[in-house]
Amino acid sequence: MKHNKITYKNIIIILIGIFLMSCSAEDGADGAIGPQGEQGEQGSQGEQGPQGEQGPVGQDGQDGNANVIASDWIPEQFSDRATDFTIFYVSDEAFTKEILDTGTVLAYAMEEDGVIPVPFTSENQFYYFGLPNTLGEIAFIAASVDNTNEIFNLFTHFRYVIIPASITRASEAQTIDYSKMTYYEVMEHFGLKY
C-alpha cells in the first residue's frame, strides 16, 4: 500500500512539472506591418431609371383622437347599505350599436390614492362595468366575491373612455393594447385631460 501512495504522488509531481514547463515558453516577436494597398478607382454612375406614375390622391382620414370620448368623473352611486351586489347606470348616447359591437370601452375608478382601471378586486369586493343591451348606457357594478354583504365605498368617482373601432383597428396595426396601459398613459396617448 505504501508503495502505491509514493508512485501516485511522484506521478502527480511530474505532471505538474511538465505543465509548468510547457506554460513558461516565451512568445515570438510580432512581424512588421505591411504597406497599405492602393485604393481602387470609383466606377461610373449608372443611368437613372424612368420616373414612376403618381398614384391617385387618397381620401382624407378622420382625426384619430377627435373621435375618442372621455366622460367626466361620475360620482359613485352604489347603495350605501350593506349588500352583496349593487349597480348604477350612466346614460350616454355615444354607446351606439357600432361601439357595442366593434369599439373599445375602458373604465376607471378614483380612490384616495389615485386612479385604478376597472375591473378591480380588493379583498372581498369586485368592481367592474358592463354595457347593457339597451343602447346609450354603461353600468358600474360592485359585488362581493363570496356573496356576503359589504359596503362598497372604496371609490368616490368613475369614468369611462370610448374608443371607436376605426382607432382601435389602426392601433392593432401598431400592436397597442389600451387595456394594458395605465390611466395616465391612455390620457396622454389621446391628449385627454386627467
Side-chain angles (χ1 to χ4, degrees):
M1 274 312 234
K2 190 171 184 181
H3 179 67
N4 287 344
K5 285 184 181 178
I6 292 173
T7 305
Y8 290 132
K9 189 175 186 181
N10 289 340
I11 291 173
I12 291 172
I13 290 172
I14 291 169
L15 289 175
I16 291 173
I18 292 171
F19 176 74
L20 291 174
M21 289 173 64
S22 66
C23 293
S24 64
E26 292 183 23
D27 287 342
D30 289 340
I33 296 175
Q36 182 174 346
E38 294 180 22
Q39 183 166 340
E41 293 181 24
Q42 182 171 344
S44 60
Q45 183 173 345
E47 292 182 25
Q48 183 172 341
Q51 177 80 21
E53 294 181 23
Q54 184 168 342
V57 176
Q59 296 178 343
D60 289 340
Q62 297 176 333
D63 286 342
N65 298 349
N67 299 320
V68 174
I69 298 168
S71 71
D72 292 330
W73 282 105
I74 304 154
E76 172 268 313
Q77 301 167 34
F78 293 130
S79 172
D80 55 359
R81 288 184 275 163
T83 182
D84 65 339
F85 177 88
T86 179
I87 186 170
F88 72 90
Y89 296 90
V90 176
S91 297
D92 189 329
E93 293 177 2
F95 288 109
T96 61
K97 179 157 178 39
E98 180 183 358
I99 291 295
L100 296 177
D101 290 346
T102 61
T104 299
V105 178
L106 304 171
Y108 302 95
M110 182 186 292
E111 64 171 351
E112 192 175 292
D113 296 331
V115 179
I116 306 287
V118 175
F120 179 76
T121 303
S122 175
E123 296 180 7
N124 193 38
Q125 296 185 1
F126 179 50
Y127 294 85
Y128 58 105
F129 71 97
L131 302 173
N133 289 333
T134 308
L135 295 180
E137 285 186 330
I138 183 171
F140 289 99
I141 307 154
S144 63
V145 174
D146 65 1
N147 295 324
T148 59
N149 290 343
E150 295 277 336
I151 295 178
F152 297 95
N153 59 3
L154 181 61
F155 300 111
T156 60
H157 292 79
F158 288 84
R159 184 181 198 189
Y160 55 85
V161 176
I162 302 171
I163 307 168
S166 58
I167 296 173
T168 303
R169 279 194 295 271
S171 297
E172 286 171 356
Q174 302 170 22
T175 64
I176 296 175
D177 185 350
Y178 298 117
S179 66
K180 293 187 177 175
M181 296 170 73
T182 68
Y183 168 74
Y184 297 101
E185 288 171 340
V186 171
M187 296 299 108
E188 290 288 336
H189 182 78
F190 290 114
L192 301 169
K193 293 181 181 177
Y194 297 150

